Each structure stands twice: as C-alpha cells, then as structure tokens.
Amino acid sequence: MFNFDDTSRKSKEAMDTMLKSYSDAAKGVQAIATEAAEYSKKSFQDAVNHFETLSGARSFETVFELQTGFIKSSYENFIAEATKMGEMYADLAKGAYKPYEPPVSAPPAKSPKAPQVTPTAA
C-alpha cells in the first residue's frame, strides 16, 4: 500500500540533499570567483610595475632582460593559478556529487517477483 509518511520523509530528504548541494556549489563558485578576481588584480599590478620598470631602462639589453624575466614569471604564475583553479573546479564537482553518492551507489530495492506466465498455444 502507499505510505504517505515514507513518501513525505523521502521528499524531505531529497529536498535537504538538493539544498545542501546547491549551497555547497554556491560557496565553491564564490571561492573560484574570488580567486580569479585576486589573480586578475595581482596580474594587473605586476604588469603596471613592470611597465614602470621598463620606462626607466636605459639600454636595449636591459629592456630585453626585464621583458624576458617578466614573461617567464608571468607564465609561471599563470600555470600555478591555472592548476589551483583546476583543483578548485575538481573539488567543486566532487562536492556537488557527494550528497548524491550514497543513493546512487546503493543497490536498488528488490521488488516482489511477478508470477511466471507461460504462453499457451492457441
């Protein structure tokens, strides 16, 4: 028979799981956005500082050395930030999936077997 208490409890559990998942996802996206904004600010400030340093250079060799060092450090910073952001996205995906993991991995409940019907020749 249909049990309203069970249905109500299951619906509440599903809603709680969904709300927790959305809350965790929102926190993860906010952390990623904050990290991206901080990286952008730092990158812009580094570029401004580099331009100021370049404007004071007196020789082509100095400009070349400064530019080479800036490009190298910018590339290394970008790779480090991209790795960090990739890990943050992976953690976000894992966190979003975690509440649904137990119900998905649980074996389905056995239903009563239907009686076997044998076809008869007509």
Side-chain angles (χ1 to χ4, degrees):
M1 194 83 205
F2 192 73
N3 189 343
F4 286 105
D5 291 335
D6 260 358
T7 305
S8 176
R9 184 178 51 80
K10 292 279 187 188
S11 294
K12 183 181 180 325
E13 288 174 4
M15 184 59 75
D16 290 345
T17 301
M18 183 183 66
L19 290 174
K20 183 181 181 330
S21 177
Y22 285 155
S23 173
D24 291 345
K27 288 176 187 174
V29 169
Q30 185 177 9
I32 290 169
T34 301
E35 184 65 32
E38 288 174 5
Y39 174 73
S40 295
K41 286 178 189 176
K42 183 184 178 309
S43 179
F44 181 76
Q45 188 60 42
D46 289 347
V48 168
N49 292 340
H50 174 66
F51 184 73
E52 289 173 354
T53 305
L54 275 181
S55 65
R58 299 282 181 208
S59 69
F60 180 73
E61 290 82 20
T62 306
V63 169
F64 187 75
E65 288 174 8
L66 288 172
Q67 188 68 6
T68 303
F70 176 72
I71 290 171
K72 182 180 178 186
S73 68
S74 294
Y75 177 75
E76 289 170 352
N77 289 339
F78 172 75
I79 294 300
E81 188 66 24
T83 302
K84 185 177 182 180
M85 294 286 278
E87 290 171 358
M88 290 176 80
Y89 275 108
D91 291 342
L92 175 65
K94 288 175 190 173
Y97 178 70
K98 194 170 197 123
Y100 300 103
E101 204 170 43
V104 171
S105 64
K110 289 192 173 190
S111 60
K113 274 192 164 182
Q116 291 288 346
V117 178
T118 55
T120 57

